[in-house]
Amino acid sequence: MFDESLVHLFPFNGEFFAVDVNSGSLLNLDEITYFYLKSLQETDSKEKAFNITKEKFGEVAFEIQEEVDELIRDGILFSKPPKYFESNLILKSMCLNVAHSCNFGCLYCFAKKGNYGGSDALMSFDVAKAAIDFLAKNSSGRVTLEVDFFGGEPLLNFEVVKKTIEYAKETYKNKKWRFTITTNGSILTDEIEKFLYDNDVSIVLSLDGDKHVNDKYRVLRSGLGTFDLVFPKIKKVTEHRAESGGYYVRGTYTHNTLEISKTVMDLHNFGFKYISLEPVVTKEEDIGIKKEDLQILKKEYEHLAIEYVNSQKESTWNFFHFNLDLEAGPCIQKRIHGCGAGVEYIAVSPDGSIYPCHQFDGIKETKLGDVFSGITNKELQEKFRKANFLFNKKECATCWARFYCSGGCLANNYTMNGDIFKPYEIGCDIQKMRIEAALYVAYKLRELDIEVPTTQLSEKRDSVR
């Protein structure tokens, strides 16, 4: 009867929770009910679970069993699966890698310090213009289109960024454009920030924590740390956007910087209101997250969740991975499809080549085509279309977290397993502990009637650079 793909049980900070996977119902349980459900899970027998509970807690077991049976009858626990279907995904967003070049030499950079394993290059306006045309003409029926300027360091090519935004708005006035730029912040000026702000360009600012943590890996080409260079600029941008939002300060943690609760709270105490922190994904032994790190991370996420909830009582702020709406989250059709890499979302390199996402840029066997000739590798695109549907990935189809992570990151799967259909196991483990923490946070904030602020920036794509 009991199947963890239907109901997931977990303790958190001395409390006990059950989440019904299909309906999204989240229950805060007393110890006896939790014990009964755990016994049901372990024995897969209603009679045995009842007897074990009765032996430990006495006659109250009758009442517990009756209450659980009622929850099942009402469809709150072990609910029926929702109706869903594999959608025909249509292009809506594009990452423009306007700079295969960077002034930093970050030691964990998936983009190989900015040039993606090739020669330094900047995208010409002709390529950028063709990319905007491609997006507009291949997004049938969509009104809102998203463009993320990326690199390397995209501000090394700011004039092209500027002209591209102006071109898109002027040429395709029937479209609602949402622009984002991901930058290390080192060459931000008042003039650049004013243009970005005036044109509603959201901004992802890379910072790994305080000076000690940040300068371990976010370094200049010379090896010198970058905190003192970028912090004043990042601080100025976020203060400028204090009321409007439209930013995330985004960090990366590694095997050697696992104190994520301290890192996130440090960023919060610096005055940043919108924060994200991602694990590095790499096969490099001295940097990558290891299985033995997972127990540390579990405690860190638990500690962070508790601190996060407590801090909201003073002033509200947003940690991206705790954004979870218990009442009105994404519809089932959105939950069963991933980020759309290769179909809804593509990346364009400086020469106009199209890749499934920015993390595939430069991997020749994943090239889909180019912005001048269009998608020429239809077979590969179809493979990505299939991989975006979570039920086409064997491990995902029965995972309790499937409707929260939507099948995970295809680029991470490829990097670590060489197969977009095979989930990256450590990444999945981190996702699950993060989701449990987010569920706890959502329950506690609802209990306290606290609503955290949101920002226009979806920050849905991992950008470890």
Side-chain angles (χ1 to χ4, degrees):
M1 176 187 172
F2 195 102
D3 183 348
E4 201 190 19
S5 72
L6 298 177
V7 174
H8 175 62
L9 302 170
F10 65 100
F12 205 101
N13 190 31
E15 298 185 60
F16 304 98
F17 295 90
V19 59
D20 184 76
V21 175
N22 285 325
S23 69
S25 299
L26 179 65
L27 304 178
N28 184 253
L29 308 172
D30 60 36
E31 183 183 1
I32 305 174
T33 306
Y34 184 80
F35 181 87
Y36 173 75
L37 286 170
K38 282 294 286 184
S39 301
L40 189 59
Q41 179 186 52
E42 291 164 2
T43 64
D44 199 27
S45 165
K46 187 176 177 180
E47 182 180 357
K48 288 179 181 177
F50 170 77
N51 289 334
I52 293 169
T53 306
K54 186 172 182 291
E55 183 179 341
K56 184 174 177 65
F57 294 102
E59 296 301 310
V60 72
F62 287 100
E63 183 181 337
I64 296 301
Q65 186 180 59
E66 186 177 329
E67 288 177 355
V68 169
D69 286 346
E70 186 176 348
L71 289 170
I72 294 171
R73 285 194 300 271
D74 291 345
I76 296 171
L77 285 179
F78 301 99
S79 63
K80 294 179 180 179
K83 293 180 180 180
Y84 57 80
F85 54 90
E86 190 170 348
S87 296
N88 181 29
L89 304 179
I90 298 170
L91 184 64
K92 67 176 182 179
S93 59
M94 172 183 287
C95 176
L96 282 183
N97 272 355
V98 293
H100 272 196
S101 181
C102 191
N103 55 339
F104 279 21
C106 302
L107 303 179
Y108 52 56
C109 181
F110 82 88
K112 298 177 174 61
K113 300 185 181 179
N115 64 17
Y116 293 78
S119 301
D120 283 8
L122 298 179
M123 181 179 287
S124 69
F125 177 57
D126 285 342
V127 169
K129 187 167 66 169
I132 293 296
D133 292 340
F134 180 88
L135 175 59
K137 292 172 183 176
N138 288 276
S139 53
S140 176
R142 293 196 183 277
V143 175
T144 301
L145 300 179
E146 303 173 2
V147 178
D148 182 17
F149 296 99
F150 202 75
E153 174 47 56
L155 291 183
L156 292 172
N157 201 7
F158 178 64
E159 282 306 310
V160 166
V161 170
K162 185 177 178 180
K163 289 172 70 175
T164 303
I165 291 170
E166 292 168 344
Y167 174 78
K169 286 184 170 183
E170 183 62 31
T171 308
Y172 299 100
K173 294 180 179 179
N174 60 326
K175 300 290 187 181
K176 181 181 178 182
W177 292 95
R178 291 182 58 188
F179 298 104
T180 304
I181 191 163
T182 301
T183 175
N184 61 37
S186 62
I187 53 179
L188 275 167
T189 63
D190 291 345
E191 179 188 356
I192 290 173
E193 164 54 6
K194 185 179 187 306
F195 176 84
L196 298 176
Y197 184 84
D198 289 347
N199 285 275
D200 296 320
V201 180
S202 297
I203 188 166
V204 180
L205 299 148
S206 299
L207 188 73
D208 285 354
D210 65 14
K211 180 177 172 65
H212 173 72
V213 171
N214 183 82
D215 288 357
K216 275 183 181 290
Y217 295 107
R218 295 197 65 77
V219 297
L220 297 171
R221 294 298 179 98
S222 65
L224 291 175
T226 60
F227 184 87
D228 290 339
L229 170 64
V230 303
F231 182 78
K233 295 173 182 284
I234 290 175
K235 183 70 173 168
K236 190 172 184 179
V237 169
T238 59
E239 286 176 350
H240 184 207
R241 295 173 179 240
E243 297 300 320
S244 63
Y247 77 85
Y248 268 102
V249 173
R250 185 221 186 275
T252 298
Y253 65 85
T254 72
H255 168 67
N256 297 306
T257 52
L258 295 175
E259 294 181 351
I260 61 169
S261 58
K262 179 182 182 303
T263 295
V264 173
M265 294 309 295
D266 282 345
L267 292 171
H268 165 59
N269 291 330
F270 287 149
F272 303 134
K273 197 170 184 177
Y274 304 97
I275 299 166
S276 176
L277 192 67
E278 293 281 353
V280 70
V281 178
T282 178
K283 289 185 175 180
E284 292 188 35
E285 284 291 321
D286 57 334
I287 296 177
I289 307 298
K290 301 171 175 56
K291 284 191 175 181
E292 55 263 36
D293 296 333
L294 294 176
Q295 278 304 109
I296 297 171
L297 286 174
K298 186 172 179 61
K299 291 178 182 177
E300 286 290 319
Y301 275 113
E302 288 177 355
H303 185 56
L304 175 58
I306 295 163
E307 284 206 75
Y308 182 73
V309 169
N310 289 335
S311 70
Q312 299 293 334
K313 299 170 187 176
E314 302 298 323
S315 62
T316 56
W317 56 289
N318 182 301
F319 178 60
F320 177 72
H321 291 291
F322 288 168
N323 289 346
L324 196 154
D325 190 340
L326 294 177
E327 308 299 337
C331 69
I332 187 63
Q333 279 305 115
K334 290 183 179 179
R335 291 183 181 219
I336 62 175
H337 290 89
C339 68
V343 191
E344 278 191 321
Y345 165 58
I346 58 172
V348 180
S349 67
D351 67 358
S353 295
I354 297 174
Y355 293 93
C357 88
H358 58 288
Q359 294 192 71
F360 287 100
D361 191 343
I363 303 174
K364 292 180 180 178
E365 59 268 27
T366 68
K367 180 178 174 179
L368 293 168
D370 63 65
V371 293
F372 303 104
S373 304
I375 303 295
T376 52
N377 195 338
K378 301 286 187 180
E379 184 179 348
L380 179 61
Q381 187 179 51
E382 184 59 26
K383 185 177 180 180
F384 271 87
R385 184 186 302 278
K386 291 292 183 186
N388 269 286
F389 185 57
L390 75 84
F391 291 103
N392 286 332
K393 296 189 280 289
K394 182 181 177 183
E395 292 89 344
C396 298
T398 56
C399 175
W400 70 264
R402 59 188 178 274
F403 295 136
Y404 294 100
C405 82
S406 304
C409 175
L410 304 186
N412 290 352
N413 295 351
Y414 187 87
T415 297
M416 302 306 291
N417 298 322
D419 183 351
I420 60 175
F421 288 90
K422 184 173 177 55
Y424 164 44
E425 186 177 354
I426 287 177
C428 290
D429 289 337
I430 293 173
Q431 279 274 32
K432 289 172 188 175
M433 63 181 71
R434 205 155 61 181
I435 292 166
E436 287 183 347
L439 288 165
Y440 170 82
V441 165
Y443 181 86
K444 285 297 178 182
L445 292 180
R446 182 174 65 179
E447 196 174 52
L448 295 167
D449 195 26
I450 293 174
E451 185 174 345
V452 300
T454 57
T455 180
Q456 287 294 311
L457 182 58
S458 64
E459 214 263 337
K460 67 180 182 179
R461 296 181 287 275
D462 292 344
S463 313
V464 183
R465 39 178 295 284

